[in-house]
């Protein structure tokens, strides 16, 4: 199917390009609208008690977290100075009621209640402003409408609160993306040119990356109509869109160039523009036309082969990564759910770009993909002539196969040491400290916490509700009595250990409830504060035998509810993602051992990454290098996000590696050879893909928001560990230990796998079967000029030009043992797409000693030397004058000479019983028994 897609794209390449350009333009215009749809927050559990308290506060009681905090300061005046008071009171009194719902200031209270609104030196005060509007966009609009009016004459003014904080957070996200792209682009282009060795080829991944990012934003905009989307999703879309697009493009372009060069070499077409060698203009024109005509079927076949191999692997990889990200949809937090949706959409767009847009561009370019070729890429360079068996990955693969135990032990020790810090992990919440140190909004929050009484105190909010609480009741003055049972409950809260004060802070007649704010002396995430929340939740209150509802909120309770929710959902995520990954890998590799091993290896990579995060962010060892403020903990939802993304990326590289190992196993059935050869062919590509992805991630590690830094560092460490240690050393060493058990498939699952097989494979002929020529003309891997001619038998005893003495000429009596049944040519798939022949034609003596071959990969041309003719008296014969086939070229039909006709056999007779003509009986007769 995929080879057919490649041929279709080649034949309709201009139509495909026009449609994709239209799609990109529409997606770009639509995707820009997503920036106005982002929601802040989303880290809480919507079903938790603390979330209910926060909603009740915003709807009925008034939020304890004001929309805008305006900090007024003076170097010469104090808050007791009439000029200070007049400046502030006059300013806030003029605020329009259409945008402002409530204002609370130092002068709104008398006595002790006003003390918390003045700084210790009394040179500063803050005003809490509640804006009108239920949606964040409405409040932001109202904030901009009154912001200029909040400036008080003669005083220094700074703005904080949830609305300015959310606005700055969104702007910082966009600034981080722009900076990341600016920093990443130059070194990324340089590295791509180094890896591809050609300017044109190196520019194609950038085109796919831009398409993936634009498409991801468009899909993300669609998601906003079904769910709230946090601005963090923009970072993930950009990071994964660029990274995966470049990774996938690397595999597609590398395979296409390989197949194209193989086809041109087999056909004898020189690279470049050979028609320019002609001196006559007419000759050059004719040569150019002939060259392009001969190149067209080669280019189409190369694209079909690329889609059937690398394209298939990329599609399986994309589905696997999406399955890992789909685990985020099982969590109730908006942050994780929208990141999961955004990530899946981005992966699918990246797969589409790599399997549709990129093949379209390759079909248009053909050999021009080598445009701007570097000197080390040219056929005459020393690197191009180097024996592939002398490369680094070939030597490393054989070294791991020869000494698996030392590699296995060393890598496990390294991963274990990296994991140790995670044993002391402390989870924290997101606050203003995630913003850069020079953030003005963060400065307001930190000033209030440091310079104001009770500035660092975050109270525990307790909401008591029930049908027996009087409705439409709100104390209007000091003399209004509070129901005795509520007053008694407030006193019980105030007497708890560590509590400094408990007071009523909200009344709602329409809801039927009250809010009591409990102030304590502990830090919000301190163990004693969490114990206090647990004690309050264990308390009970009733009136006349009817129980009241007690809901507890605040930052401490919210963090506790968040961790409880994550721990409930994490096992479900692990089960669903594990089963989905196992089924996909089972379908692709035809083994039940390899999927289990792949999952275990991914867990090891994730564990090392988590340990590095705790060491760098919780312990603060990376604070100086990355310029952030350590908080003594790590944000829990970010760790879940890293878990899903890293698991998907690790499985991505696992699919690339094991797909090639499986291909080698199908050809040789030698586990050591398959693993070593798979490493040789994919090690460099996987390392290059990881290096390109690391460049993208590294830029996000320098983002201004600490949570984004944490995600970037976690993914960076995971990719390094996975590519350098797990895939290159631990996986091969483990497969060496397991031997043939890697490919174990119980008999009762063999039939199931045969019906759902997804892997790339070259089908072997059944025992005793002979190879049939490929169908012509469109099913052969590369075009060959062929004539039908009468067969000519060589003289008896003559030695053919290929040096192989055939039984029908040198030994007519047939005394030699029959040769082994040949294998079907590995040049085509059932669909006609060529399959690569990569087995080295020779091995050094040392390499052969290290890794013996149980079954050598068959010579493709040898499979046709004794093949039966398609019709009596006729044979295929290549047209004289064809270009010689270079060493290492793929299968060409009868490249070593035409096959010989089947030897004639002497007539044979056999005795049979024949009825007498007169019907009197039977007699013995003879019959021709020649088959």
């Amino acid at each position: 199917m995929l080879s057919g897609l490649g041929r279709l794209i080649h034949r309709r390449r201009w139509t495909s390009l026009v449609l994709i350009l239209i799609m990109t333009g529409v997606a770009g215009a639509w995707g820009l609208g997503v920036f106005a749809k982002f929601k802040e927050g989303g880290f809480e559990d919507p079903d938790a008690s603390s979330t209910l308290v926060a909603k009740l506060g915003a709807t009925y009681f008034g939020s304890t977290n004001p929309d805008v905090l305006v900090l007024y300061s003076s170097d010469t005046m104090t808050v007791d100075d009439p000029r200070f008071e007049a400046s502030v009171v006059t300013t806030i009194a003029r605020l329009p009621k259409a945008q402002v719902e409530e204002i609370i200031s130092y002068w709104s209270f008398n006595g002790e209640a006003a003390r918390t609104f003045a700084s210790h030196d009394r040179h500063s005060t803050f005003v809490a402003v509640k804006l009108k509007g239920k949606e964040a966009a409405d409040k932001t609009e109202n904030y901009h409408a009154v912001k200029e009016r909040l400036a008080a004459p003669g005083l220094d003014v700074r703005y904080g609160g949830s609305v300015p904080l959310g606005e700055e957070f969104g702007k910082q996200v966009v600034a981080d993306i722009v900076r990341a792209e600016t920093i990443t682009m130059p070194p990324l282009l340089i590295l791509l040119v180094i890896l591809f060795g050609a300017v044109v080829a190196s520019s194609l991944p950038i085109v796919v990356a831009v398409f993936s990012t634009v498409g991801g934003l468009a899909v993300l905009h669609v998601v906003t109509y079904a769910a709230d989307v946090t601005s963090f999703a923009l970072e993930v879309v950009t990071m994964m869109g660029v990274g995966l697009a470049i990774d996938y493009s690397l595999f597609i372009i590398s395979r296409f160039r390989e197949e194209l060069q193989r086809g041109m070499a087999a056909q004898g077409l020189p690279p470049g523009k050979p028609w320019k060698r002609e001196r006559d203009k007419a000759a050059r024109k004719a040569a150019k036309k002939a060259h392009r005509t001969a190149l067209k079927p080669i280019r189409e076949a190369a694209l079909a082969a690329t889609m059937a191999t690398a394209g298939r692997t990329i599609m399986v990889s994309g589905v696997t990564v999406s399955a890992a990200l789909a685990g985020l949809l099982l969590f109730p937090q908006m942050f994780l759910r929208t990141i999961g949706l955004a990530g899946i959409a981005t992966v699918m767009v990246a797969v589409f770009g790599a399997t549709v847009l990129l093949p379209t561009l390759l079909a248009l370019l053909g050999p021009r993909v080598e445009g701007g070729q570097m000197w080390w890429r040219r056929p005459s360079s020393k690197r191009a002539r180097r024996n592939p068996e002398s490369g680094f990955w070939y030597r490393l693969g054989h070294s791991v196969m020869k000494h698996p135990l030392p590699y296995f032990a060393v890598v496990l020790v390294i991963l274990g040491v990296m994991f140790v810090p995670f044993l002391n992990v402390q989870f924290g919440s997101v606050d203003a400290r995630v913003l850069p140190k020079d953030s003005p909004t963060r400065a307001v929050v930190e000033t209030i916490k440091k310079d104001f009484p009770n500035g660092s105190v975050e109270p525990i909010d307790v909401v008591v509700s029930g049908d027996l609480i009087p409705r439409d009741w709100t104390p209007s003055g000091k003399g209004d009595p509070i129901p005795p049972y509520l007053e008694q409950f407030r006193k019980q809260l105030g007497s708890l250990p560590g509590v400094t004060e408990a007071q009523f802070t909200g009344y709602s007649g329409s809801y039927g409830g009250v809010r009591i704010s409990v102030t304590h002396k502990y830090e919000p995430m301190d163990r004693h504060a969490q114990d206090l929340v647990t004690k309050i939740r264990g308390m009970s209150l009733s009136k006349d035998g009817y129980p009241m509802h007690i809901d507890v909120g605040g930052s401490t309770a919210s963090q506790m509810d968040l961790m409880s929710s994550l721990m409930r959902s994490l096992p479900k995520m692990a089960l669903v993602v594990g089963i989905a990954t196992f089924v996909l890998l089972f379908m692709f590799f035809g083994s039940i051992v390899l999927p289990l091993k792949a999952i275990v290896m991914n867990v090891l990579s994730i564990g090392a990454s988590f340990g590095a995060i705790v060491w760098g962010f919780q312990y603060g060892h990376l604070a100086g290098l990355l310029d952030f403020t350590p908080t003594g903990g790590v944000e829990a939802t970010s760790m879940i996000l890293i878990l899903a993304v890293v698991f998907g990326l690790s499985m991505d590289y696992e699919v690339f590696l094991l797909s090639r190992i499986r291909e080698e196993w199908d050809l040789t059935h030698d586990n050591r050879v398959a693993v070593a050869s798979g490493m040789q062919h994919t090690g460099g590509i996987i390392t290059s893909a990881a290096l390109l992805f690391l460049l993208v991630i590294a830029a996000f590690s320098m983002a201004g928001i600490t949570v984004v830094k944490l995600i970037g560092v976690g993914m960076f460490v995971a990719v390094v560990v996975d590519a350098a240690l797990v895939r290159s050393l631990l996986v091969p060493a483990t497969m060496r230990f397991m031997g043939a058990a890697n490919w174990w498939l119980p008999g009762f699952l063999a039939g199931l796998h045969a019906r759902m097989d997804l892997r790339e494979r070259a089908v072997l002929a059944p025992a005793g079967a002979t190879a049939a020529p490929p169908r012509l003309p469109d099913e052969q891997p590369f075009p060959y000029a062929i004539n039908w001619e009468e067969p000519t038998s060589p003289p008896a005893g003559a030695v053919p030009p290929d040096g192989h003495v055939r039984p029908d000429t040198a030994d007519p009596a047939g005394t030699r043992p029959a040769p082994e049944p040949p294998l079907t040519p590995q040049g085509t798939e059932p669909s006609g797409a060529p399959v690569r022949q990569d087995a080295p034609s020779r091995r050094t003596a040392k390499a052969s000693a290290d890794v013996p071959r149980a079954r050598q990969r068959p010579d493709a041309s040898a499979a046709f030397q004794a093949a039966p003719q398609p019709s009596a008296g006729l044979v295929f014969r290549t047209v004289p004058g064809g270009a010689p086939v270079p060493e290492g070229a793929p299968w060409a039909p009868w490249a070593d000479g035409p096959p010989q006709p089947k030897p004639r056999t002497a007539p044979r007779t056999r005795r049979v019983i024949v009825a007498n003509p007169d019907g009197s009986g039977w007699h013995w007769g003879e019959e021709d028994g020649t088959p």
Side-chain angles (χ1 to χ4, degrees):
M1 181 180 72
L2 291 179
S3 61
L5 176 62
R7 295 181 184 276
L8 177 64
I9 290 175
H10 183 271
R11 294 166 185 169
R12 299 289 183 267
R13 49 192 178 275
W14 286 109
T15 304
S16 175
L17 180 63
V18 171
L19 292 176
I20 291 175
L21 288 176
I22 295 174
M23 183 189 309
T24 305
V26 173
W30 171 256
L32 292 176
V34 75
F35 293 96
K37 298 293 187 70
F38 288 135
K39 308 288 185 181
E40 299 306 323
F43 297 92
E44 68 281 350
D45 181 0
D47 299 325
S49 172
S50 58
T51 305
L52 175 62
V53 171
K55 291 180 179 179
L56 292 175
T59 307
Y60 298 104
F61 304 126
S63 175
T64 56
N65 185 20
D67 297 324
V68 182
L69 279 175
V70 188
L71 182 64
Y72 295 102
S73 304
S74 174
D75 295 333
T76 58
M77 297 182 290
T78 66
V79 294
D80 303 311
D81 193 313
R83 294 173 297 173
F84 196 114
E85 178 182 358
S87 179
V88 175
V89 172
T90 303
T91 298
I92 62 178
R94 294 176 178 176
L95 294 177
K97 294 183 178 180
Q99 285 84 27
V100 177
E101 183 173 330
E102 183 181 10
I103 302 173
I104 303 175
S105 69
Y106 171 79
W107 298 276
S108 302
F109 302 94
N110 294 320
E112 186 67 20
R115 184 179 64 87
T116 58
F117 284 81
S119 62
H120 295 297
D121 61 4
R122 305 192 68 79
H123 282 275
S124 300
T125 185
F126 66 86
V127 175
V129 180
K130 183 178 181 181
L131 300 170
K132 288 188 176 180
K134 294 185 178 180
E135 299 293 331
D138 298 333
K139 291 190 175 185
T140 302
E141 183 179 353
N142 291 332
Y143 167 64
H144 286 290
V146 302
K147 182 177 180 180
E148 299 299 329
R149 299 189 179 190
L150 290 170
L155 300 177
D156 177 61
V157 184
R158 289 184 289 174
Y159 307 97
S162 60
V163 173
L165 184 67
E167 185 179 33
E168 184 179 353
F169 193 93
K171 291 181 179 178
Q172 187 64 50
V173 167
V174 176
D176 287 343
I177 293 175
V178 173
R179 182 172 62 174
E181 299 297 339
T182 304
I183 294 174
T184 302
M185 199 55 62
L188 190 62
L189 287 172
I190 294 173
L191 184 58
L192 284 170
V193 171
I194 294 174
L195 293 176
F196 283 109
V199 175
V200 174
S202 63
S203 64
L204 296 181
I206 302 298
V207 175
V208 180
V210 172
F211 172 82
S212 299
T213 304
V214 171
L217 292 178
V219 177
L220 192 61
H221 193 184
V222 175
V223 174
T224 60
Y225 287 89
D228 292 337
V229 177
T230 175
S231 55
F232 272 110
L234 187 61
E235 302 266 9
V236 175
V237 166
T238 305
M239 188 186 305
M240 296 194 65
V242 175
L244 289 178
I246 292 176
D247 275 6
Y248 292 160
S249 299
L250 178 63
F251 282 88
I252 290 288
I253 296 173
S254 299
R255 191 62 182 250
F256 176 76
R257 296 166 82 187
E258 184 179 337
E259 298 292 344
L260 189 63
Q261 289 177 359
R262 192 194 324 278
M264 293 177 66
Q267 190 65 6
L269 292 179
K273 301 178 180 179
W275 59 84
K276 288 190 174 182
R277 302 171 189 171
E278 302 291 340
R279 297 182 179 180
D280 182 66
K281 183 178 180 180
R284 283 198 302 270
K285 185 176 181 181
K288 181 178 180 180
K289 182 178 181 181
H291 185 273
R292 290 186 174 180
T293 302
L295 184 63
K296 184 177 180 180
I298 299 176
R299 185 172 58 190
E300 180 178 341
L303 192 60
T306 301
M307 292 296 294
T309 52
R312 186 195 305 266
T313 302
I314 285 172
M315 286 190 174
V316 173
S317 171
V319 174
T320 306
V321 176
S322 298
L325 292 172
L328 297 176
L329 304 180
L330 301 175
F331 291 88
Q333 287 76 17
M334 180 194 76
F335 172 77
L336 294 176
R337 293 171 67 90
T338 57
I339 291 292
L341 290 172
I344 293 172
T346 303
V347 172
M348 292 295 99
V349 173
V351 171
F352 179 85
T355 56
V356 178
L357 170 59
L358 186 57
T360 300
L361 298 176
L362 293 175
L364 291 170
L365 290 171
R368 291 192 296 272
V369 74
E370 301 287 353
Q373 197 173 66
M374 300 293 106
W375 68 89
W376 61 81
R377 175 75 181 172
R378 295 169 185 166
S380 58
S381 65
K382 181 179 179 181
R383 180 179 178 181
R385 297 195 306 268
R386 187 175 60 191
N387 185 353
E389 297 184 2
S390 64
F392 169 78
W393 291 104
Y394 179 82
R395 297 194 303 269
L396 179 63
H398 283 273
S399 177
V400 174
M401 293 298 98
K402 190 175 181 180
H403 309 287
L405 183 58
Y407 284 103
F408 182 84
V410 170
V411 172
L412 276 187
V413 170
I414 294 174
L415 296 179
V417 170
M418 294 182 68
F419 176 76
V420 167
F422 185 67
L423 299 176
N424 299 319
V425 64
Q426 296 291 331
F427 295 105
S429 58
V430 175
D431 55 30
R433 290 175 293 179
V434 302
L435 291 171
K437 293 180 180 179
D438 58 352
S439 164
T441 308
R442 172 180 171 177
V444 170
V445 175
E446 292 182 339
T447 299
I448 292 176
K449 285 188 174 183
K450 180 181 64 173
D451 297 339
F452 285 74
N454 299 328
S456 61
V457 173
E458 297 186 23
I460 299 172
D461 293 328
V462 182
V463 174
V464 180
S465 60
D467 293 336
L468 297 182
I469 293 182
R471 294 184 179 276
D472 301 322
W473 165 76
T474 301
S476 58
K478 262 189 171 182
D480 290 348
I482 296 176
Y485 66 94
L486 291 178
E487 179 64 22
Q488 180 63 29
F489 184 67
R490 183 193 67 80
K491 291 180 179 179
Q492 290 180 10
L493 293 175
S495 63
L496 292 175
V499 174
T500 58
E501 186 181 20
Q503 58 181 345
F504 292 101
T505 58
Y507 308 90
S508 173
S510 60
Y511 176 72
V514 296
R515 181 179 63 194
I516 305 174
S517 294
V518 179
T519 306
H520 55 86
K521 60 183 180 181
Y522 307 117
E523 289 294 326
M525 294 301 107
D526 188 86
R527 176 59 59 186
H528 295 89
Q530 297 185 32
D531 293 340
L532 190 57
V533 170
T534 303
K535 289 181 181 179
I536 296 175
R537 285 179 168 172
M539 298 174 66
S540 61
L541 176 64
S542 62
K543 178 187 177 183
D544 300 333
Y546 293 95
M548 298 289 182
H549 299 287
I550 299 176
D551 295 294
V552 183
S555 59
T556 305
S558 296
Q559 183 63 25
M560 294 173 63
D561 290 339
L562 172 63
M563 293 306 304
S564 177
S565 173
L566 295 180
M567 291 302 103
R568 288 195 307 269
S569 302
L570 189 59
K572 293 188 292 185
M573 172 192 176
L575 181 63
V576 171
V577 173
I579 292 176
T581 302
F582 179 87
V583 171
L584 285 170
L585 296 185
F586 165 76
M587 294 167 63
F588 196 53
F589 298 124
S591 167
I592 64 172
V593 176
L594 289 181
L596 295 175
K597 181 189 64 61
I599 294 173
V600 172
M601 295 299 169
N602 288 0
V603 171
L604 293 176
S605 298
I606 294 170
S609 174
F610 281 4
I613 289 173
V614 172
W615 180 85
F617 287 85
Q618 180 177 314
Y619 296 170
H621 293 297
L622 295 178
L625 177 64
L626 299 180
D627 191 27
F628 66 88
T629 303
T631 61
V634 293
E635 206 282 312
T637 54
S638 301
M639 301 293 281
I640 299 295
L641 173 61
I642 294 173
L643 171 65
V645 174
V646 168
F647 188 90
L649 290 176
S650 300
M651 198 60 69
D652 191 35
Y653 296 139
E654 182 84 4
V655 169
F656 289 141
L657 175 62
L658 293 184
S659 62
R660 193 52 180 264
I661 293 178
R662 177 76 212 202
E663 182 180 341
E664 298 295 329
W665 167 261
D666 288 339
L667 291 170
T668 65
H669 285 277
D670 187 318
N671 182 69
R672 295 174 65 183
V673 171
V675 175
S677 182
M679 284 186 62
Q680 174 189 352
H681 288 100
T682 61
I685 298 179
I686 290 176
T687 304
S688 300
L691 189 58
L692 292 169
F693 198 87
L694 288 177
L695 264 180
V696 177
I697 297 174
F700 286 94
S701 300
M702 296 180 286
I705 301 175
T706 304
V707 176
V708 179
K709 292 178 186 285
L710 185 148
I711 295 173
V713 170
M715 294 175 62
F716 186 94
V717 173
V719 172
V720 170
V721 169
D722 195 82
L725 296 178
V726 176
R727 305 300 154 206
S728 301
L729 302 176
L730 191 60
V731 170
T734 306
M735 296 188 73
R736 172 69 177 87
F737 287 141
M738 299 176 70
N742 287 304
W743 319 102
W744 179 61
L745 184 64
F748 68 93
L749 291 177
L752 175 63
H753 177 261
R755 291 190 294 271
M756 54 195 310
D757 194 356
L758 293 177
R759 62 190 167 95
E760 305 165 22
R761 64 192 186 279
V763 182
L764 298 178
T770 56
R775 289 175 289 177
L776 298 175
D778 58 341
E779 292 297 327
Q780 56 183 345
F782 305 107
Y784 293 92
I786 297 175
N787 288 341
W788 290 96
E789 295 184 2
E790 294 292 334
T792 55
S793 301
V799 179
D802 58 5
H804 298 287
V805 179
R806 296 181 174 84
D808 54 33
T809 58
D811 190 16
T815 56
R816 297 191 180 191
E820 292 185 13
L823 302 174
T824 58
Q826 309 302 322
T828 57
E829 283 189 342
S831 62
V835 177
R836 178 179 170 184
Q837 299 296 318
D838 295 306
S841 59
R842 57 185 180 277
R843 304 272 180 185
T844 61
K846 181 177 180 180
S848 299
D850 291 344
V851 184
R853 278 187 178 270
R855 290 179 58 188
Q856 295 289 340
R857 184 184 291 196
D859 180 8
S861 62
F864 292 91
Q865 291 176 359
Q869 300 308 308
S871 60
L874 295 175
V875 297
F876 285 123
R877 189 180 302 281
T878 55
V879 174
V885 179
E887 182 179 353
W891 167 77
W894 310 289
D896 297 329
Q900 301 304 309
K902 184 176 180 180
R904 297 180 180 275
T905 57
R908 291 184 297 177
T909 58
R910 60 182 178 181
R911 299 186 69 186
V912 295
I913 299 176
V914 182
N916 294 329
D918 57 359
S920 59
W922 293 266
H923 67 275
W924 289 102
E926 292 184 350
E927 182 180 85
D928 186 9
T930 304

